[in-house]
Amino acid sequence: MEWLYPFSVLVGSVVVLMGLGLPVAFAFFTTNIIGLMLFFGGTRGIVQMVSNFSEAVGTYTLAPLPMFLVMGSLYFRSGLGERVINALDLAVGNLRARLSYVTLASGAVFAALSGSSLANAGMLSSLMAPEMLKRDYKPRMAYGPILGAGCLAVIIPPSTLAVLLGSLAQIDVGALLIAGILPGLILAMMFGGLIWFQAHRDPQAAPQYAIAPVASGEKWKAILSNIMPMSFLVFSVVGTIILGIATPTESAALGCAGVIILLVIYRKLTWGVIWRSLDDAMKVTGMTFLIISASMTFSQIFAFSGASNGFIQSLIALDLGYYGIIALMVVTILILGMFMDQVSMMLITLPIFMPIAAQYGFDTVWLGLILLLAFEVGLVTPPFGLLLYVVMGAGSRQGVTLSTVAMAALPYVGVTILMIALIVIFPQLALLLPSLL
């Protein structure tokens, strides 16, 4: 049990430092210094950590990350997102819970364009939540679809979290992005079924109201002018990867170019939009690359100290079996998700999970998608689910509480866990499309 000492020191230090409020990257850097002094040759290890910086962030697989962020930010900053919502609102018609369906559909479209859960939830919260509450929608029908739609960006490409996971875990980023398409669409339909069930079980939760009739011609005009052009962007990013025309990095560049073309066509391209979009992407990219630099050294220390191998051998000795190991991984992430953000969870768990996956012969793309869905749940679980606070911030004028949005998210958490179980039982849900690459 000699591995328990380095394991406790490394994992315990990270958890304590983040619990004290230290930023994620600095918590890992501090832990790295402690680990290097204890297990990695002292000051010589510090030199190794510094030399890791350029190697960690200079990988080709990370190149799509800033470009996907620029693409999504250009799309939202320009106001094209509002045009899509208005077009979907016309297309849905006079259904019960129509605004909930519009929110979910908008979130699915935005997920295929931005790759950012926080951006999706923030936009939908500010545009849709006030209107739904004004129409006397109950909180679970107003906030639940926003939270569910926001989570779709975790697995529907171009997911920035999938790019990061693939880079950290040495998983084929293109295959991981493509693997999320089919489960993402199924999950969106399952969320739609949940809205239908909630609305019909309690009709007062989403009161039906009269809307002005709209001619079919006007509906089709709105769809063709505001929604169909987005398929051009989806093909630029996803279609080019599937057809083998472009790598994920090249498809990200094509996506940015596609957004710029649309902005020119719609006369929305301004220097202000470009500057704010680049600023958004630069802040997130800088933070992410700093964290990745810290994570590489953490993984090295974890392996060199014997903590990783000792923990793996102890788990194998328990003989939990194929499904038992998967269940243990998912439950671990679900618990951590209540207290940590997704990047922190990745940095702590991947050095442990990926060697275990190699021991058991798991398909890394399949496992990566399961982990992404588990990370997705962490976005909407209290007390630290990031999307909960995004929705609360947008709804502060209505006095929204954490418990209100958490209860609205609960059914969507259950549906996502069901989706994880389906992928475990039917791996082809995740592997069918990547097998076509």
Side-chain angles (χ1 to χ4, degrees):
M1 300 294 283
E2 294 180 359
W3 62 271
L4 272 176
Y5 171 58
F7 185 93
S8 302
V9 169
L10 295 172
V11 176
S13 297
V14 169
V15 173
V16 169
L17 290 171
M18 287 196 296
L20 293 174
L22 201 64
V24 174
F26 295 107
F28 273 90
F29 277 125
T30 304
T31 300
N32 288 345
I33 292 172
I34 295 171
L36 290 169
M37 299 302 292
L38 292 175
F39 313 118
F40 213 92
T43 54
R44 288 179 299 175
I46 305 296
V47 175
Q48 176 64 39
M49 180 178 72
V50 174
S51 67
N52 281 342
F53 289 178
S54 60
E55 182 181 350
V57 301
T59 58
Y60 185 69
T61 54
L62 280 174
L65 181 64
M67 286 188 282
F68 282 149
L69 290 169
V70 169
M71 185 180 77
S73 190
L74 281 170
Y75 180 79
F76 286 122
R77 290 285 188 180
S78 65
L80 291 182
E82 295 183 31
R83 296 174 66 104
V84 171
I85 291 177
N86 293 332
L88 287 171
D89 188 31
L90 290 176
V92 166
N94 192 18
L95 296 177
R96 183 176 298 279
R98 64 188 299 271
L99 293 179
S100 296
Y101 289 118
V102 169
T103 299
L104 179 63
S106 300
V109 172
F110 297 158
L113 298 172
S114 74
S116 170
S117 292
L118 298 181
N120 283 6
M123 183 173 186
L124 292 172
S125 296
S126 60
L127 294 178
M128 300 303 296
E131 181 66 21
M132 285 190 279
L133 294 175
K134 186 172 72 174
R135 299 287 183 180
D136 294 326
Y137 278 51
K138 290 185 179 179
R140 67 174 179 271
M141 299 302 294
Y143 299 121
I146 293 173
L147 294 165
C151 287
L152 290 175
V154 172
I155 59 170
I156 294 179
S159 166
T160 53
L161 203 63
V163 174
L164 183 58
L165 174 64
S167 301
L168 292 174
Q170 300 300 303
I171 300 172
D172 185 334
V173 173
L176 186 57
L177 287 171
I178 298 305
I181 296 175
L182 185 57
L185 294 176
I186 294 173
L187 188 59
M189 289 188 288
M190 292 169 69
F191 285 162
L194 175 62
I195 292 172
W196 179 90
F197 175 77
Q198 290 178 318
H200 283 75
R201 186 181 181 187
D202 181 10
Q204 297 306 312
Q208 200 164 8
Y209 58 92
I211 61 172
V214 180
S216 298
E218 189 174 342
K219 289 183 180 181
W220 281 109
K221 181 181 177 181
I223 293 171
L224 292 174
S225 62
N226 296 304
I227 299 179
M228 290 305 294
M230 304 309 146
S231 62
F232 164 67
L233 290 181
V234 174
F235 174 79
S236 299
V237 176
V238 180
T240 53
I241 297 176
I242 293 177
L243 295 176
I245 298 172
T247 65
T249 301
E250 292 164 347
S251 72
L254 289 172
C256 288
V259 171
I260 291 174
I261 291 172
L262 286 180
L263 294 184
V264 171
I265 293 172
Y266 286 104
R267 298 182 181 179
K268 296 286 186 178
L269 187 63
T270 65
W271 285 113
V273 168
I274 294 173
W275 173 254
R276 290 192 296 270
S277 300
L278 292 175
D279 185 56
D280 291 342
M282 179 182 64
K283 290 176 181 176
V284 177
T285 302
M287 175 193 68
T288 304
F289 280 13
L290 190 63
I291 291 172
I292 292 171
S293 301
S295 76
M296 174 174 274
T297 303
F298 182 82
S299 299
Q300 291 175 345
I301 300 170
F302 209 77
F304 186 82
S305 66
S308 177
N309 186 60
F311 183 73
I312 293 166
Q313 296 305 319
S314 298
L315 278 182
I316 293 173
L318 293 176
D319 195 23
L320 295 175
Y322 182 88
Y323 292 110
I325 289 294
I326 290 293
L328 181 64
M329 290 180 178
V330 171
V331 170
T332 300
I333 291 175
L334 295 182
I335 293 172
L336 290 176
M338 294 187 288
F339 307 101
M340 294 182 182
D341 64 273
Q342 282 58 45
V343 176
S344 301
M345 286 191 285
M346 281 187 188
L347 299 185
I348 290 175
T349 57
L350 291 180
I352 302 171
F353 287 174
M354 298 317 294
I356 294 174
Q359 288 281 343
Y360 278 84
F362 293 155
D363 186 287
T364 54
V365 173
W366 171 78
L367 178 63
L369 193 63
I370 291 173
L371 296 181
L372 278 175
L373 284 165
F375 290 135
E376 174 187 316
V377 173
L379 286 168
V380 292
T381 50
F384 296 117
L386 294 178
L387 291 191
L388 300 179
Y389 291 96
V390 170
V391 172
M392 284 175 62
S396 58
R397 286 173 294 179
Q398 288 83 29
V400 181
T401 63
L402 179 61
S403 61
T404 300
V405 291
M407 290 304 295
L410 187 59
Y412 292 84
V413 169
V415 171
T416 304
I417 293 174
L418 175 59
M419 187 72 240
I420 293 174
L422 289 174
I423 293 175
V424 172
I425 298 170
F426 305 106
Q428 281 303 108
L429 289 174
L431 299 178
L432 178 61
L433 290 180
S435 69
L436 303 177
L437 289 176

